[in-house]
């Protein structure tokens, strides 16, 4: 089984771009499991992960395409949580969505994508860039 982590935030547009990129990889979809991970930084309404629109729509898109999908939600530091789950399931690939930011914006606000790239030896796909 080829395990892919697809880390999504609240952006449906970026999540769709990630799913599109993954489905274009030359993989046997019957031998692929995609774990969609959403990390809550704040969840005052107590939403479940499957209630997040980007997660729900992406899971439907991938399942309708014939992929095995698991949904996981957690809270905390996004890059640390994503890397922990990647280690736990022995992910073969991590998919994250990038955003267009200036160098100073990255320095001030950080970058989950950048942090994951620098802290893992697993392959990483960055897609779904927007502003």
């Amino acid at each position: 089984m080829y395990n892919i982590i697809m880390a999504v935030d609240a952006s449906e547009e970026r999540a769709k771009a990630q799913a599109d990129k993954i489905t274009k990889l030359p993989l046997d979809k019957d031998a692929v499991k995609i774990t969609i991970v959403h990390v809550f930084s704040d969840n005052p309404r107590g939403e479940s992960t499957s209630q997040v629109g980007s997660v729900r729509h992406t899971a439907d898109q991938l399942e309708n395409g014939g992929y095995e999908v698991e949904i996981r939600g957690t809270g905390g530091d996004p890059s640390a949580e994503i890397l922990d789950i990647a280690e736990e399931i022995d992910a073969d690939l991590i998919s994250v969505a990038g955003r267009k930011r200036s160098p100073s914006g990255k320095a001030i606000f950080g970058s989950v994508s950048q942090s994951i790239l620098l802290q893992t030896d697993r392959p990483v796909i960055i897609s779904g860039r927007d502003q």
Side-chain angles (χ1 to χ4, degrees), residues 1-96:
M1 184 66 64
Y2 193 81
N3 291 311
I4 298 174
I5 285 192
M6 184 177 155
V8 300
D9 59 13
S11 170
E12 291 183 31
E13 180 182 332
R14 286 192 297 270
K16 183 180 181 328
Q18 285 177 267
D20 290 344
K21 177 134 342 206
I22 288 171
T23 59
K24 290 178 183 169
L25 293 173
L27 299 169
D28 176 4
K29 64 183 165 188
D30 293 327
V32 173
K33 179 178 179 183
I34 301 171
T35 303
I36 300 172
V37 177
H38 180 77
V39 181
F40 291 96
S41 58
D42 187 25
N43 190 9
R45 295 181 294 175
E47 286 183 302
S48 74
T49 308
S50 60
Q51 289 176 301
V52 176
S54 58
V55 173
R56 185 178 62 250
H57 294 134
T58 304
D60 290 345
Q61 176 185 354
L62 293 168
E63 287 172 341
N64 290 338
Y67 291 89
E68 179 182 346
V69 175
E70 177 185 2
I71 296 173
R72 304 253 319 243
T74 187
D77 175 62
S79 57
E81 294 296 324
I82 292 162
L83 292 170
D84 286 348
I85 294 171
E87 183 72 26
E88 178 187 327
I89 70 167
D90 194 22
D92 297 292
L93 177 71
I94 301 171
S95 170
V96 294

Side-chain angles (χ1 to χ4, degrees), residues 67-130:
Y67 291 89
E68 179 182 346
V69 175
E70 177 185 2
I71 296 173
R72 304 253 319 243
T74 187
D77 175 62
S79 57
E81 294 296 324
I82 292 162
L83 292 170
D84 286 348
I85 294 171
E87 183 72 26
E88 178 187 327
I89 70 167
D90 194 22
D92 297 292
L93 177 71
I94 301 171
S95 170
V96 294
R99 296 182 192 172
K100 290 183 183 177
R101 286 195 178 155
S102 68
S104 60
K106 286 181 184 175
I108 295 168
F109 300 110
S111 168
V112 172
S113 302
Q114 180 179 341
S115 181
I116 288 171
L117 278 171
L118 294 173
Q119 294 182 54
T120 189
D121 58 356
R122 300 174 194 279
V124 178
I125 291 179
I126 299 175
S127 57
R129 293 178 59 99
D130 71 353

